[in-house]
Amino acid sequence: MSVFTYELNEKRVAIVTIDVPGEKMNTLRDSFADDLLVTLKQGQDDNITGMVFISGKADNFIAGADIKMLDSAEQREDALALSEMCQQAFFSMKKQPYPTVAAIHGAALGGGLEFALACDYRICTDSDVTKLGLPEVQLGLLPGGGGTQRLPKLVGIQKALEWMLTGKQIRAKQARKAGLVNDSVPHSILLDVAAKYAMKGKAKAVQPKLDKISKLLESNPFGRNIIFKKAHDNVMKKTGGHYPAPLNIIKAVRASVELGELKAYKTEAEGFADLVMTDVSKSLRGIFFATTEMKKEYKSDDVSPIKRTAVLGGGLMGAGIAHVSAVKAGALVRIKDVAQQGVSNAMNYSYKILSKRQKRRIMSHSELQLTMNRITGGTDYTAFKHVDMVIEAVFEDLNLKQSMVADIERESREDTIFASNTSSLPISQIAEQAQRPENVIGLHYFSPVEKMPLVEIIPHEGTSQETISRTVNFARKQGKTPIVVKDKAGFYVNRILAPYVNEAANLLLAGEPIEKIDQALVEFGFPVGPLALLDEVGIDIGSKIAPILEKELGERFKAPNAFERLIDSKRLGRKTGRGFYTYEKKGKKVDESVYELLGITQSPRLNKQEIASRCVAQMLNEAARCLDEGIIASARDGDIGAIFGIGFPPFLGGPFSYMDKRGINKVCSELSTYASENMVFTPAESLMKLADSGARFYATDKVQTVLVEVPTEQAKDSVQAESDNVVAKPSSEEKPA
């Protein structure tokens, strides 16, 4: 059955409706090219004036390619054929004697935008749901349907590179200003305007709308060399060379201006084929498949939605939670803090973020005001009788949290959910004295809340299924990827993070330099090194969690005593201006006096690879224990939790995927070698069993054939975690990420 419905209007303009049967999103399928050629031929036979392509879906034009097509490409030649098929189909559109128009409402991403680029004209709606972009880099790919060739000719080399290297999604106003679309109009007149463009005749080539400096740079080989070199250097700086897709994008764009058309398109197709077969792309595609699957879990349309929320604590975590609740979830938010200044700071936090959006013209002043009107605050429990959920984000103190449960049960409705943002305390202990324990749940965010995509949802044994479902639904509305984890100290993310950081600290105490340790893990692929991470979180905050983990989970979680000296000397990290590093306007640098304070004589003996290997081994070992104990439901949840929560290198697929690729035997052997010096490295029993049986965490390397929706901003943040996401400093009221 064709995805195209062809109708001829009275002006002999063919209106072609794109509608993939039975699917929420239009995606490019295997049969798309053949159906398109049939439709184009019909236009020739009817001697039409022009052809308009419009979506039959309510909120998307074409959301991209069906990723199942990539899964079917078992050999490089198969992937090459896919790219060449798309290129040829879009060439056919360009060659038609009549003009073609893409009438875009909603998402036109990836192959969907490449389809639109092949049309003579592009008209889009000015709706908030309309977004255009080529986000293939987020899947470890490049646009393989002519995107690297056509986009630079419309918007210029620099803008095209920026959009493709980041996977940025462009709004209607920006698209029109850049020359990506010919017009932006209200949805009600989209088809009428598109039909008028279809009667204008074939579009003439236009020059990109560039300022004088950009025009000068892009118009000659010397200037273009500067552009491509800078792009290459920036990519290497941000990715450490772990991701081949950005470099292939630069190569293909360069080909578009330096080679003939056939050779340039061949460069794109070959780059696409190479990338499809890489482990990096398979890992990144796996992340998207996993997050898509997770959207189907714990979902319930039968439970009442969270429309009114309250946040206890106006520090950075509380402010971030209030922000995503109001801005992303659209909820009314009441902030309570012990001081009015805390409330003001939390509200100002959202205002600053929204002001930046207004300055970039993403939102209007009136939209900013309407959003801020959803956030109120005070120092008492005014309005708490109306809230559906209360989220606490205060000190990591059990008695304090228990007293807050009692306060909320007194001040709120019987069905109000109490969600704790604790990072280490078991939820069962927080709910121990609750009158309505079925309403108590853990909802653990990561800092900075507005950027980090993960939340851990932690039900205790008495939490009701309705509470779990309502909390999961709300977290998704906040733009988060939730994983439901078992109620045990540290939950999942902090539990695998603690031994990783402790090992880094032990290496420092053994004489390894601070900067070398951090560089080793950044070069491995983490967004920030473990000691720099401690500085960002707050050394005092980390020290409060360590005893909880040690008490509940054992000696292997004991943090080095030497850190107490840092706390006693007020070296708490970035928030005090000094920790392992000093923080000044000029930037940060290693604080050499730390060595003397901790009684360390620098005596480097390990190379960076060995340092990274020891720290990561601790994380892998603990991840295996978490899976064995049921802290996480699956290896998939463990991989997503580590990537989205602490920036485990996405190109490695997560700790469990990484262990599968390395070989469980090798992982166990490495741990056993380290255990001869330190028993905390003793391989988890479950790892040893896997090694003995030759089994794996995942049954197969093959990427699952699940249809992936459009890469979202959330997904973008997660995949780019290695370069963008750095844990922000908490206030004195908060705890680590």
Side-chain angles (χ1 to χ4, degrees):
M1 185 177 180
S2 176
V3 299
F4 298 112
T5 302
Y6 178 102
E7 294 180 11
L8 203 58
N9 72 9
E10 68 279 2
K11 299 284 182 68
R12 301 200 65 75
V13 173
I15 309 299
V16 179
T17 303
I18 309 168
D19 198 346
V20 177
E23 298 289 350
K24 181 182 175 183
M25 314 288 279
N26 280 332
T27 53
L28 301 183
R29 305 296 180 94
D30 291 327
S31 61
F32 194 94
D34 290 338
D35 291 344
L36 176 61
L37 294 177
V38 170
T39 303
L40 295 173
K41 179 65 166 58
Q42 187 172 351
Q44 285 187 30
D45 293 342
D46 290 343
N47 194 27
I48 61 174
T49 304
M51 184 176 286
V52 173
F53 293 96
I54 193 165
S55 174
K57 305 298 184 186
D59 59 1
N60 63 92
F61 179 68
I62 302 174
D66 183 347
I67 310 302
K68 286 186 289 187
M69 293 193 298
L70 300 185
D71 188 38
S72 67
E74 296 183 356
Q75 304 293 329
R76 180 185 181 277
E77 290 71 24
D78 300 329
L80 183 64
L82 282 173
S83 178
E84 290 176 340
M85 176 183 69
C86 286
Q87 289 180 353
Q88 289 304 319
F90 295 156
F91 273 134
S92 296
M93 288 176 65
K94 277 290 184 188
K95 292 176 182 176
Q96 294 307 309
Y98 50 81
T100 53
V101 184
I104 302 166
H105 175 66
L109 299 174
L113 181 57
E114 289 181 295
F115 177 92
L117 288 171
C119 292
D120 290 286
Y121 304 100
R122 287 153 300 283
I123 314 300
C124 73
T125 65
D126 54 12
S127 168
D128 286 342
V129 302
T130 296
K131 294 177 182 178
L132 304 91
L134 296 173
E136 285 86 351
V137 70
Q138 295 169 14
L139 296 178
L141 302 170
L142 58 71
T148 64
Q149 306 303 298
R150 292 192 174 98
L151 186 62
K153 291 176 173 61
L154 277 177
V155 303
I157 296 169
Q158 293 170 89
K159 199 171 290 294
L161 283 173
E162 176 199 343
W163 292 355
M164 285 187 278
L165 292 175
T166 61
K168 186 176 183 178
Q169 295 182 14
I170 312 303
R171 294 175 181 271
K173 188 181 292 185
Q174 190 179 1
R176 183 177 181 181
K177 183 179 179 182
L180 177 56
V181 298
N182 301 88
D183 207 349
S184 171
V185 300
H187 189 203
S188 59
I189 62 171
L190 174 64
L191 185 55
D192 292 338
V193 173
K196 288 178 182 177
Y197 269 85
M199 295 186 288
K200 284 189 172 188
K202 296 290 285 184
K204 296 178 181 178
V206 294
Q207 292 298 313
K209 300 175 181 178
L210 303 177
D211 58 43
K212 290 182 180 179
I213 295 176
S214 295
K215 191 176 292 185
L216 182 64
L217 282 171
E218 297 189 16
S219 63
N220 65 88
F222 179 76
R224 291 194 293 269
N225 276 337
I226 294 173
I227 293 170
F228 291 123
K229 184 180 186 305
K230 184 177 180 182
H232 180 276
D233 292 347
N234 284 341
V235 162
M236 294 304 293
K237 182 179 178 181
K238 286 189 173 184
T239 70
H242 293 301
Y243 296 83
L247 298 178
N248 276 267
I249 288 171
I250 294 170
K251 181 180 179 181
V253 172
R254 186 160 201 159
S256 76
V257 292
E258 293 185 353
L259 302 179
E261 185 175 72
L262 291 179
K263 287 185 178 180
Y265 273 86
K266 186 178 181 183
T267 300
E268 178 188 87
E270 290 184 342
F272 177 83
D274 289 340
L275 291 169
V276 168
M277 309 313 295
T278 61
D279 286 339
V280 171
S281 179
K282 289 175 183 176
S283 292
L284 298 182
R285 278 144 50 196
I287 294 168
F288 278 99
F289 293 141
T291 54
T292 301
E293 282 182 350
M294 293 170 78
K295 290 177 184 177
K296 303 171 186 175
E297 297 171 2
Y298 296 98
K299 185 178 180 181
S300 176
D301 297 326
D302 300 330
V303 296
S304 58
I306 306 296
K307 294 181 178 179
R308 294 173 179 267
T309 62
V311 177
L312 303 178
L316 282 184
M317 286 298 285
I321 294 167
H323 179 80
V324 296
S325 299
V327 176
K328 294 285 183 72
L332 297 176
V333 183
R334 181 76 177 175
I335 301 169
K336 181 190 178 297
D337 196 88
V338 293
Q340 189 60 46
Q341 187 61 47
V343 174
S344 299
N345 289 344
M347 294 180 72
N348 194 44
Y349 186 89
S350 280
Y351 182 78
K352 285 181 178 178
I353 295 173
L354 296 175
S355 292
K356 289 179 182 178
R357 291 173 64 83
Q358 184 196 347
K359 287 177 183 176
R360 292 167 56 200
R361 299 185 179 179
I362 295 172
M363 71 188 315
S364 66
H365 181 66
S366 60
E367 289 171 328
L368 183 153
Q369 289 180 316
L370 284 171
T371 304
M372 286 303 302
N373 286 343
R374 290 202 286 268
I375 307 174
T376 61
T379 57
D380 57 23
Y381 289 105
T382 300
F384 273 58
K385 285 291 183 187
H386 306 290
V387 301
D388 303 308
M389 173 184 278
V390 176
I391 306 169
E392 68 83 4
V394 296
F395 292 108
E396 200 74 338
D397 181 280
L398 179 60
N399 291 331
L400 175 61
K401 292 179 189 293
Q402 288 178 338
S403 70
M404 286 189 160
V405 173
D407 289 346
I408 296 309
E409 288 185 327
R410 182 183 68 249
E411 299 290 343
S412 300
R413 301 194 312 259
E414 287 192 2
D415 64 344
T416 297
I417 294 171
F418 182 92
S420 174
N421 184 46
T422 179
S423 54
S424 58
L425 291 167
I427 305 304
S428 59
Q429 294 180 15
I430 294 172
E432 206 165 39
Q433 300 172 17
Q435 295 178 18
R436 298 186 287 275
E438 68 274 10
N439 293 344
V440 180
I441 195 167
L443 186 54
H444 179 214
Y445 296 85
F446 298 83
S447 183
V449 177
E450 70 278 5
K451 289 184 179 179
M452 297 297 280
L454 187 78
V455 289
E456 289 180 311
I457 292 178
I458 314 104
H460 64 93
E461 285 188 2
T463 304
S464 70
Q465 188 60 49
E466 181 179 0
T467 296
I468 298 171
S469 295
R470 293 179 76 195
T471 305
V472 169
N473 287 356
F474 185 61
R476 286 180 178 142
K477 283 188 177 180
Q478 291 176 317
K480 302 300 179 186
T481 295
I483 59 170
V484 178
V485 301
K486 190 175 179 180
D487 181 28
K488 197 167 183 180
F491 315 127
Y492 173 64
V493 172
N494 276 346
R495 181 163 162 184
I496 66 171
L497 182 64
Y500 162 82
V501 172
N502 282 350
E503 181 58 24
N506 288 328
L507 289 172
L508 169 64
L509 294 172
E512 296 295 339
I514 294 169
E515 200 165 22
K516 181 181 174 185
I517 293 169
D518 279 344
Q519 283 176 351
L521 276 305
V522 169
E523 289 176 13
F524 182 83
F526 282 91
V528 65
L531 300 178
L533 176 64
L534 265 179
D535 264 10
E536 297 289 348
V537 168
I539 296 168
D540 58 328
I541 304 299
S543 72
K544 289 178 182 177
I545 285 188
I548 296 172
L549 296 178
E550 185 183 354
K551 177 185 175 184
E552 297 290 333
L553 299 170
E555 183 74 16
R556 71 178 183 277
F557 283 90
K558 183 174 177 59
N561 293 327
F563 284 174
E564 294 298 327
R565 297 180 204 168
L566 292 172
I567 296 170
D568 292 342
S569 63
K570 305 298 182 185
R571 296 169 181 259
L572 307 183
R574 184 184 286 274
K575 64 185 174 184
T576 58
R578 296 180 80 183
F580 295 105
Y581 297 83
T582 57
Y583 299 87
E584 300 171 355
K585 289 183 179 180
K586 296 178 182 178
K588 75 173 185 180
K589 63 179 181 179
V590 172
D591 188 345
E592 298 290 338
S593 65
V594 168
Y595 298 114
E596 183 179 350
L597 180 68
L598 297 182
I600 298 169
T601 300
Q602 290 189 58
S603 53
R605 62 184 182 85
L606 303 176
N607 61 39
K608 289 181 184 177
Q609 187 176 355
E610 290 169 325
I611 290 171
S613 188
R614 291 181 69 96
C615 293
V616 172
Q618 289 272 38
M619 182 180 287
L620 300 179
N621 207 16
E622 203 59 40
R625 289 193 183 98
C626 286
L627 180 60
D628 191 43
E629 294 172 23
I631 302 299
I632 45 175
S634 64
R636 179 207 66 183
D637 286 8
D639 281 343
I640 294 299
I643 291 168
F644 285 18
I646 54 176
F648 190 94
F651 64 88
L652 296 177
F656 295 98
S657 294
Y658 177 58
M659 284 190 276
D660 274 354
K661 287 168 188 169
R662 282 196 66 196
I664 308 296
N665 270 318
K666 287 184 179 178
V667 174
C668 284
S669 175
E670 186 176 71
L671 284 165
S672 297
T673 300
Y674 296 147
S676 64
E677 302 173 7
N678 187 341
M679 291 299 291
V680 298
F681 282 99
T682 301
E685 188 177 337
S686 58
L687 272 182
M688 295 296 289
K689 286 179 180 177
L690 282 174
D692 290 342
S693 66
R696 302 154 53 90
F697 291 107
Y698 290 94
T700 174
D701 268 336
K702 193 173 177 64
V703 178
Q704 301 173 51
T705 55
V706 180
L707 179 65
V708 176
E709 289 188 8
V710 189
T712 60
E713 288 301 318
Q714 161 191 328
K716 174 183 171 183
D717 284 344
S718 70
V719 173
Q720 292 185 331
E722 76 286 346
S723 60
D724 293 339
N725 289 339
V726 178
V727 180
K729 56 177 181 177
S731 74
S732 58
E733 296 185 12
E734 293 159 340
K735 60 266 174 240

